[in-house]
């Protein structure tokens, strides 16, 4: 029994010991496990705090002295653990009171509230500073007393920089003159910059959260917009010019680039629209094109556009059957109009001619201003040369015959040169050059003329160019002479006077007709000096004859620009004085056309000349205006009936009655008549019957030297 009790006790003891032992083992295993767990967690914490970039974790005691310092803190501040331990946290901040005060107050707040966060400048061991975010957490001891602080410092430099950059970026996007707009993938607007407001007139609020349709114009191309959106949703950019409608209803054109914005997985989440308003640019470009392609004054295309069109039309015409005509047109005596009446009158004339040419052509044709007073026309579908002639006659008729300037009438006549494609040239240059050559020829023929280009023309025109060059020296080289053609009384056959006719004798060209060189003198302005020489020579002759007791009047011709020259009267007066002649011996001949156009000023000039005492003759009467009614307004003395009427006076009854009418009318106005170009006895007789006063012509005498005149007088 005892044994069994003992045994039982033993067994019990064993059981108890075993149980105790196993409990102890379990306990120690748990303790080991706990320690392991703690170690793992510590390591994890260490790993986390040490591994986080730009972050320092350290502990402070309750007085703010450093107690613990992790590798992150070493990296950030540069202090090793033993360098910093037990140093005041103040050594990590710049030495200024304000900062010092803030740190202490941060520790105090943290002690009171449990934690405190702040942005602050901190110092590294090397003295450099950086912007940091600091979180201070109070550590409590088991009795809830303050055990110290855990501090987490994060270097904000990179973030600050990124923030600055972002700020800059958003500012520049905001202030960009270009439109920047962000939509989600459905096209709903999420962001617009200021330019959107400026360009469209809509406020931000009116656009945000709306679809882009708000801005789309009905003039836009819906297909293009669909294509644009599909492209962007497939991850590609799209660029196009898009017409939009502003809030005020106006249309404007944007040069738009739409770029997809994707997330990390490459899915398109948004679309970025950048656009610039190209309407002002387009307007400027159009203006620039206009300026470089069109003439400012007349609004017509300029020479380069003309050449361009000629080349283009040429290609087109060569495919068809029609011929093309190239016309170059020039205003007769334009240089003088500019000189005598001023630039305003010249400009007015150019504008009116331009206008009249423009309305004379059809839509396909071109009218351009090629140079100062030169115009160009391209005419299409010409079947025969007479089509061009009809056209030229039409424009010569349509162009205003007279232009008023400052109360004065200026006559307008044109000269026109014509070349035909393909006969006269295959390229624009040749065609224009040949039309110009023909124009030169037309001008040489006198006013209101046109000429077709012919291949032998170049020779003639070159001759004219050379002649003009030689003419420059003619006066100095004494190549001019005056010849005198007498005119006689029809009643007695006595010489009544002579007309001084200018001749040019040149080694190269021989004796040149005034019909050829007078227009050149006019064109170049040389007529003023040459005219003065004529006047002096004629007056010298009057004086010489006077000295020889031969009181013979002399007529001197004045051309248009001489008559309109501002010093004409002074010149006449001074030459008369210079040679001391009786002014009544001098007659000035002016053609009818010089009078008719600017009547008021012509009357003033004539009155001034008459006041000097000279006589005035109307030359070539009947060729210009052919109206007698205005004659009475002019203080003139003689009417010279043009030879074209005299030619037929004996054969054609119409011519006879016309000449008779002129004579009667002139007589009724107390004017004396001189018939020009009398070549036959019949003409002489009939003119005498018609009571014409005087006659001039080959029938009696050609233009001869002064000595021969003297012989004729004997
Ligand atoms: P105009 O003043 O009408 O001169 C008359 C022209 O007719 C002269 O031609 C003369 O030679 C020509 N003539 C005279 N009688 C007859 C005739 O019976 N039959 C024919 N067929 N012709 C006759 P010219 O010398 O060739 O002069 C031509 C024009 O040149 C003149 O026409 C005149 O307008 C101009 N001219 C001549 N000398 C001068 C001058 O010194 N100054 C200016 N400005 N013009 C001048
Ligand atoms: Mg004359
Ligand atoms: Mg005449």
């Amino acid at each position: 029994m005892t044994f069994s009790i003992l045994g039982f006790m033993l067994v019990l003891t064993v059981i108890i010991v075993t149980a105790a032992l196993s409990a102890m083992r379990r306990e120690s295993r748990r303790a080991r496990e706990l320690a392991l767990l703690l170690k793992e967690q510590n390591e994890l914490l260490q790993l986390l705090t040490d591994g986080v970039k730009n972050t320092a974790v350290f502990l402070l005691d309750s007085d703010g002295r450093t107690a613990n310092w992790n590798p992150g803190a070493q990296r950030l501040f540069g202090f090793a653990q033993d360098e910093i331990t037990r140093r005041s946290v103040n050594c990590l901040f710049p030495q200024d009171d304000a900062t010092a005060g803030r740190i202490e107050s941060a520790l105090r707040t943290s002690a009171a509230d449990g934690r405190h966060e702040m942005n602050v400048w901190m110092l590294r061991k090397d003295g450099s500073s950086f912007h940091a975010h600091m979180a201070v957490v109070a550590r409590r001891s088991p009795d809830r007393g303050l055990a110290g602080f855990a501090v987490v410092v994060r270097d904000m430099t990179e973030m600050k920089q990124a923030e600055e950059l972002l700020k800059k970026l958003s500012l520049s996007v905001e202030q960009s003159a270009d439109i920047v707009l962000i939509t989600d993938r459905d096209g709903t607007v999420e962001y617009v910059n200021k330019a959107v407001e400026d360009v469209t007139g809509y406020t931000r609020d009116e656009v945000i959260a709306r679809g882009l349709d708000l801005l789309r114009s009905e003039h836009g191309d819906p297909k293009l917009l669909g294509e644009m959106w599909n492209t962007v949703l497939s991850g590609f950019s799209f660029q196009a010019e898009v017409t939009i409608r502003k809030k005020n209803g106006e249309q404007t054109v944007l040069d738009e680039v739409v770029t997809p914005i994707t997330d990390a997985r490459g899915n398109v989440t948004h679309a970025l629209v950048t656009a610039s308003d190209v309407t002002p640019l387009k307007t400027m470009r159009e203006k620039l094109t206009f300026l470089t392609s069109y003439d400012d004054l007349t609004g017509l295309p300029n020479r380069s556009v003309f050449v361009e069109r000629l080349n283009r039309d040429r290609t087109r015409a060569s495919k068809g059957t029609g011929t093309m005509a190239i016309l170059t047109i020039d205003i007769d005596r334009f240089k003088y109009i500019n000189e005598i009446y001023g630039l305003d009158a010249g400009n007015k004339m150019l504008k009116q001619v331009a206008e009249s040419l423009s309305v004379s052509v059809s839509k396909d044709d071109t009218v351009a201003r090629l140079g100062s007073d030169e115009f160009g026309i391209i005419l299409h579908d010409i079947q025969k040369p007479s089509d061009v002639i009809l056209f030229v006659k039409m424009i010569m008729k349509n162009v205003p015959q007279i232009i008023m300037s400052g109360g004065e009438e200026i006559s307008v006549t044109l000269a026109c040169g014509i070349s035909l494609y393909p006969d006269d040239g295959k390229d624009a240059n040749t065609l224009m050059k040949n039309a110009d050559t023909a124009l030169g020829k037309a001008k040489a023929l006198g006013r209101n003329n046109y000429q077709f280009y012919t291949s032998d023309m170049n020779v003639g025109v070159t001759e004219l160019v050379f002649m003009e060059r030689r003419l420059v020296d003619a006066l100095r080289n004494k190549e001019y002479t005056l010849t005198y053609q007498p005119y006689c009384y029809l009643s007695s056959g006595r010489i009544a006077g002579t007309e001084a006719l200018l001749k040019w004798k040149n080694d190269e060209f021989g004796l040149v007709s005034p019909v050829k060189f007078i227009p050149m003198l006019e064109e170049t302005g040389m007529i003023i000096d040459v005219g003065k020489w004529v006047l002096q020579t004629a007056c010298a002759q009057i004086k010489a004859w006077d000295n020889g007791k031969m009181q013979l009047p002399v007529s001197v011709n004045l051309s248009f620009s001489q008559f309109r020259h501002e010093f004409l009267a002074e010149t006449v007066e001074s030459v008369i004085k210079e040679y001391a002649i009786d002014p009544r011996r001098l007659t000035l001949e002016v053609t009818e056309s010089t009078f008719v156009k600017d009547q008021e000023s012509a009357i003033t000039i004539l009155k001034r000349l008459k006041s000097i005492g000279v006589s005035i003759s109307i030359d070539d009467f009947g060729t210009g205006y052919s109206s007698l009614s205005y004659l009475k307004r002019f203080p003139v003395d003689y009417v010279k009936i043009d030879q074209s009427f005299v030619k037929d006076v004996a054969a054609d009854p119409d011519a006879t009655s016309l000449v008779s009418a002129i004579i009667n009318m002139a007589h009724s106005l107390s004017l004396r008549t001189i018939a020009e170009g009398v070549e036959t006895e019949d003409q002489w007789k009939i003119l005498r019957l018609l009571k014409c006063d005087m006659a001039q012509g080959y029938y009696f005498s050609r233009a001869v030297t002064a000595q021969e005149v003297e012989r004729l007088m004997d």
Side-chain angles (χ1 to χ4, degrees):
M1 177 73 191
T2 309
F3 178 78
S4 61
I5 288 172
L6 269 172
F8 175 73
M9 291 285 286
L10 191 70
V11 169
L12 194 65
T13 308
V14 169
I15 289 171
I16 289 171
V17 169
T18 312
L21 275 174
S22 93
M24 274 171 69
R25 266 200 307 272
R26 262 202 321 273
E27 206 45 46
S28 101
R29 200 169 55 236
R30 202 156 60 224
R32 271 203 317 276
E33 278 172 4
L34 268 174
L36 204 68
L37 193 67
L38 202 64
K39 193 173 166 244
E40 268 176 13
Q41 278 183 348
N42 255 337
E43 274 172 7
L44 190 66
L45 188 69
Q46 197 82 27
L47 215 64
L48 278 174
T49 54
D50 293 355
V52 184
K53 200 182 156 210
N54 295 338
T55 304
V57 182
F58 54 89
L59 299 178
L60 302 176
D61 63 16
S62 55
D63 296 328
R65 279 191 300 269
T66 317
N68 196 308
W69 193 247
N70 84 335
Q74 186 164 345
R75 272 198 309 271
L76 194 56
F77 290 97
F79 291 107
Q81 168 90 49
D82 53 349
E83 287 175 306
I84 195 85
T85 306
R86 300 211 56 75
R87 283 181 66 181
S88 162
V89 72
N90 280 335
C91 73
L92 300 175
F93 297 91
Q95 290 298 306
D96 82 55
D97 297 345
T99 313
R102 282 185 70 201
I103 303 311
E104 271 151 30
S105 108
L107 294 182
R108 265 200 312 277
T109 315
S110 167
D113 300 348
R115 82 183 264 118
H116 182 71
E117 289 187 31
M118 66 198 287
N119 286 324
V120 69
W121 283 98
M122 296 190 84
L123 276 187
R124 294 190 188 90
K125 184 184 168 188
D126 62 11
S128 61
S129 57
F130 64 96
H131 200 79
H133 176 82
M134 186 172 83
V136 185
V137 182
R139 287 167 58 224
R140 303 272 168 212
S141 60
D143 60 1
R144 308 304 299 157
L146 182 67
F149 302 94
V151 183
V152 180
V153 173
R154 192 165 154 70
D155 181 355
M156 301 296 284
T157 311
E158 270 181 21
M159 203 183 266
K160 198 87 188 155
Q161 280 168 349
E163 217 172 65
E164 290 290 321
L165 187 69
L166 204 66
K167 212 162 150 196
K168 250 186 244 165
L169 274 175
S170 66
L171 264 179
S172 40
V173 167
E174 188 55 27
Q175 291 171 7
S176 157
D178 284 350
I179 282 178
V180 180
L181 187 146
I182 297 172
T183 73
D184 65 11
R185 54 174 294 127
D186 300 323
T188 306
V189 180
E190 289 189 357
Y191 168 82
V192 294
N193 70 347
K194 173 92 175 23
V196 174
E197 293 187 326
D198 296 345
V199 172
T200 65
Y202 285 107
T203 63
R204 250 171 246 256
D205 294 345
E206 286 171 318
V207 185
I208 299 249
R210 298 278 301 267
L212 278 177
D213 296 344
L214 175 72
L215 298 172
R216 295 303 180 214
S217 154
E218 53 276 19
H219 299 295
D221 177 359
K223 231 175 89 201
L224 178 88
L225 296 179
E227 194 188 332
M228 174 188 269
W229 207 244
N230 287 338
T231 310
V232 172
L233 290 181
S234 345
F236 298 100
S237 295
F238 195 98
Q239 191 255 330
E241 273 194 3
V242 177
T243 309
I244 65 153
R245 187 180 14 84
K246 298 185 188 184
K247 192 178 179 184
N248 64 8
E250 276 175 23
Q251 314 281 325
T252 198
V253 181
L254 300 182
D255 182 10
E256 226 175 76
V257 180
V258 188
T259 314
I261 303 176
T262 50
D263 62 13
R265 277 174 294 160
N267 297 323
V268 176
T269 57
H270 292 82
L272 168 71
V273 182
T274 52
S276 52
D277 186 358
V278 287
T279 307
L281 196 79
K282 277 194 150 189
T283 319
M284 203 155 87
R285 230 183 271 152
E286 273 161 22
K287 216 167 157 185
L288 214 72
T289 317
F290 188 85
L291 282 178
T292 50
S293 313
Y294 289 82
D295 168 46
D296 232 14
L297 180 75
T298 59
L300 290 179
N302 62 16
R303 181 179 276 270
S304 61
V305 176
F306 187 80
V307 173
E308 214 170 87
R309 292 209 190 150
L310 187 49
N311 277 323
R312 180 199 69 189
D313 295 351
R314 191 178 49 96
T315 327
R316 214 170 55 188
S318 57
K319 289 187 188 129
T321 49
T323 297
M324 224 163 56
I326 294 85
L327 280 64
T328 51
I329 294 166
D330 192 295
I331 302 176
D332 290 320
R333 299 177 305 114
F334 184 74
K335 201 166 153 270
Y336 296 101
I337 291 158
N338 250 349
E339 258 171 34
I340 293 164
Y341 299 100
L343 277 181
D344 284 351
N347 285 349
K348 193 171 171 187
M349 187 173 280
L350 287 171
K351 272 198 210 159
Q352 293 199 10
V353 169
E355 222 174 276
S356 140
L357 294 181
S358 299
V359 298
S360 306
V361 297
S362 58
K363 193 165 94 290
D364 267 359
D365 302 333
T366 295
V367 178
R369 186 175 173 202
L370 303 180
S372 104
D373 66 325
E374 198 179 332
F375 296 90
I377 296 181
I378 306 170
L379 284 183
H380 291 279
D381 299 327
I382 301 298
Q383 303 304 328
K384 48 192 183 311
S386 59
D387 291 350
V388 189
I389 297 177
L390 274 179
F391 176 81
V392 172
K393 285 193 171 157
M394 191 246 307
I395 56 170
M396 285 183 167
K397 207 174 118 236
N398 283 358
V399 106
Q401 305 297 302
I402 283 167
I403 281 170
M404 294 298 295
S405 169
E408 302 211 45
E409 296 174 339
I410 316 169
S411 74
V412 188
T413 52
L414 303 179
C416 173
I418 306 148
S419 66
L420 298 173
Y421 173 86
D423 296 356
D424 300 332
K426 302 272 185 288
D427 60 282
N429 263 351
T430 315
L431 287 163
M432 286 173 74
K433 199 179 92 228
N434 289 343
D436 264 349
T437 306
L439 174 67
K441 188 73 196 249
K443 280 179 85 74
L445 289 175
R447 300 168 66 169
N448 245 350
N449 265 297
Y450 65 87
Q451 283 287 297
F452 279 91
Y453 172 76
T454 55
S455 51
D456 59 354
M457 242 176 206
N458 280 321
V459 186
V461 171
T462 321
E463 192 194 45
L464 283 180
V465 173
F466 281 121
M467 203 177 263
E468 195 172 303
R469 278 190 209 146
R470 302 306 299 265
L471 213 48
V472 175
D473 299 320
L475 197 59
R476 203 181 45 237
N477 293 346
K478 299 192 171 26
E479 292 175 357
Y480 291 119
T481 49
L482 270 195
T483 56
Y484 300 87
Q485 186 177 31
Y487 48 88
C488 313
Y489 291 111
L490 275 160
S491 50
S492 62
R494 249 184 339 105
I495 293 177
T498 62
E499 177 176 7
L501 292 165
L502 183 62
K503 301 279 135 83
W504 176 37
K505 199 167 176 224
N506 176 269
D507 290 346
E508 198 174 329
F509 302 107
L511 195 66
V512 188
S513 159
V515 177
K516 227 174 185 177
F517 70 82
I518 297 267
M520 283 189 211
L521 291 180
E522 285 213 43
E523 197 71 28
T524 54
M526 290 190 276
I527 190 75
I528 301 301
D529 288 341
V530 176
K532 190 172 178 188
W533 177 87
V534 171
L535 203 59
Q536 286 169 323
T537 313
C539 287
Q541 191 57 58
I542 293 171
K543 186 71 190 168
W545 279 334
D546 198 43
N547 291 341
K549 304 281 176 263
M550 216 173 93
Q551 278 136 20
L552 200 59
V554 176
S555 303
V556 166
N557 290 286
L558 294 183
S559 65
F560 178 86
S561 46
Q562 282 177 282
F563 183 72
R564 296 283 172 180
H565 195 261
E566 75 174 298
F567 298 122
L568 170 70
E570 280 86 340
T571 309
V572 172
E573 210 163 16
S574 75
V575 173
I576 287 173
K577 275 211 185 94
E578 186 185 342
Y579 292 93
I581 60 153
D582 179 351
R584 286 172 303 177
R585 294 275 162 74
L586 182 67
T587 302
L588 300 175
E589 289 193 10
V590 193
T591 57
E592 191 193 357
S593 51
T594 310
F595 284 11
V596 179
K597 314 299 183 193
D598 322 291
Q599 296 193 6
E600 296 313 315
S601 65
I603 291 169
T604 315
I605 298 167
L606 289 172
K607 280 188 178 156
R608 172 84 175 88
L609 291 172
K610 286 290 294 173
S611 73
I612 300 169
V614 298
S615 302
I616 308 287
S617 232
I618 300 185
D619 204 355
D620 304 343
F621 187 81
T623 52
Y625 208 54
S626 300
S627 162
L628 293 161
S629 57
Y630 70 93
L631 261 186
K632 57 175 172 287
R633 301 190 61 215
F634 293 90
V636 294
D637 306 278
Y638 303 96
V639 174
K640 294 187 82 168
I641 305 165
D642 190 70
Q643 45 182 283
S644 55
F645 301 102
V646 174
K647 190 164 66 98
D648 299 326
V649 75
D652 178 359
D654 285 344
T656 320
S657 49
L658 193 70
V659 171
S660 167
I662 294 173
I663 294 167
N664 291 334
M665 177 72 168
H667 285 167
S668 71
L669 296 166
S670 309
L671 305 176
R672 273 160 297 162
T673 48
I674 305 172
E676 291 186 282
V678 180
E679 293 183 349
T680 65
E681 192 181 352
D682 283 353
Q683 290 165 345
W684 179 277
K685 281 183 179 159
I686 195 130
L687 285 162
R688 196 168 55 193
L689 271 175
L690 294 174
K691 302 253 180 313
C692 184
D693 299 292
M694 288 161 267
Q696 178 181 355
Y698 299 164
Y699 175 67
F700 182 76
S701 170
R702 290 185 173 252
V704 293
T705 61
Q707 292 75 32
E708 277 172 285
V709 173
E710 286 159 26
R711 271 201 296 279
L712 283 171
M713 291 287 283
D714 287 338

